[in-house]
């Protein structure tokens, strides 16, 4: 894996009547869509919390969660694809984590989502470059 790559964790939150099986299927759909971009890899995320009683540690997958490994230049494209993908699906939101920062993409207007994505990517770009935000 490229050490300069960005790792985004995507956590899908279904609507109130979405069950685990449906959420897992939605995660697979999103995974296939993301693989159409020029990302390095998209894997099902492993559960970081304690495994349920009787389960072997390290074997449980987090339902509806993905880990995307990509070049930093493609982070914006990944976020835009996720934003477009979640519309018209039984997904309430997708929480995206990158280097300790997170945003939640939901069903806000396309304009609001675009502003959110731009602000998030710009903040992460400034952080990676080691610069502070301008005093606008």
């Amino acid at each position: 894996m490229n050490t300069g790559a960005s790792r985004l964790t995507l956590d899908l939150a279904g609507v109130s009547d979405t069950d685990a099986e449906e959420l897992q299927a939605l995660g697979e759909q999103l995974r296939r869509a993301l693989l159409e971009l020029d990302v390095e890899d998209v894997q099902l995320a492993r559960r970081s919390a304690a495994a349920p009683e009787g389960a072997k540690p390290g074997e449980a997958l987090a339902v509806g969660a993905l880990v995307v490994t990509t070049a930093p230049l493609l982070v914006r494209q990944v976020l835009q694809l996720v934003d477009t993908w979640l519309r018209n699906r039984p997904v309430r939101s997708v929480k995206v984590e990158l280097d300790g920062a997170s945003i939640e993409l939901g069903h806000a207007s396309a304009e609001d989502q675009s502003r959110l994505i731009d602000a998030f990517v710009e903040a992460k770009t400034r952080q990676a470059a080691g610069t502070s935000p301008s005093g606008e």
Side-chain angles (χ1 to χ4, degrees):
M1 178 172 69
N2 177 0
T3 56
S6 294
R7 286 177 51 98
L8 295 95
T9 302
L10 310 179
D11 192 7
L12 283 64
V15 293
S16 61
D17 64 346
T18 304
D19 63 20
E21 187 176 307
E22 184 176 11
L23 197 57
Q24 190 64 31
L26 289 164
E28 286 289 341
Q29 287 177 13
L30 179 56
R31 180 179 181 273
R32 285 190 298 273
L34 287 164
L35 286 169
E36 292 180 15
L37 293 177
D38 194 20
V39 298
E40 289 182 28
D41 196 20
V42 183
Q43 293 292 320
L44 299 175
R46 300 281 173 194
R47 187 186 328 269
S48 58
E53 190 172 325
K56 293 180 183 175
E59 290 185 1
L61 295 175
V63 176
L66 303 170
V67 177
V68 181
T69 305
T70 188
L73 293 174
L74 291 178
V75 169
R76 183 183 311 268
Q77 281 183 270
V78 168
L79 295 175
Q80 289 170 333
L81 182 142
V82 170
D83 177 44
T84 301
W85 176 88
L86 72 85
R87 298 187 188 281
N88 302 315
R89 288 194 171 71
V91 176
R92 184 172 19 99
S93 65
V94 177
K95 181 178 180 183
V96 180
E97 292 186 37
L98 173 63
D99 298 330
S102 66
I103 61 171
E104 192 161 337
L105 301 175
H107 291 283
S109 72
E111 184 178 301
D112 287 345
Q113 291 287 81
S114 180
R115 280 197 298 261
L116 177 66
I117 290 168
D118 289 345
F120 183 77
V121 171
E122 287 169 21
K124 295 311 295 176
T125 302
R126 279 194 306 269
Q127 181 184 19
T131 61
S132 60
S134 62
E136 289 181 19

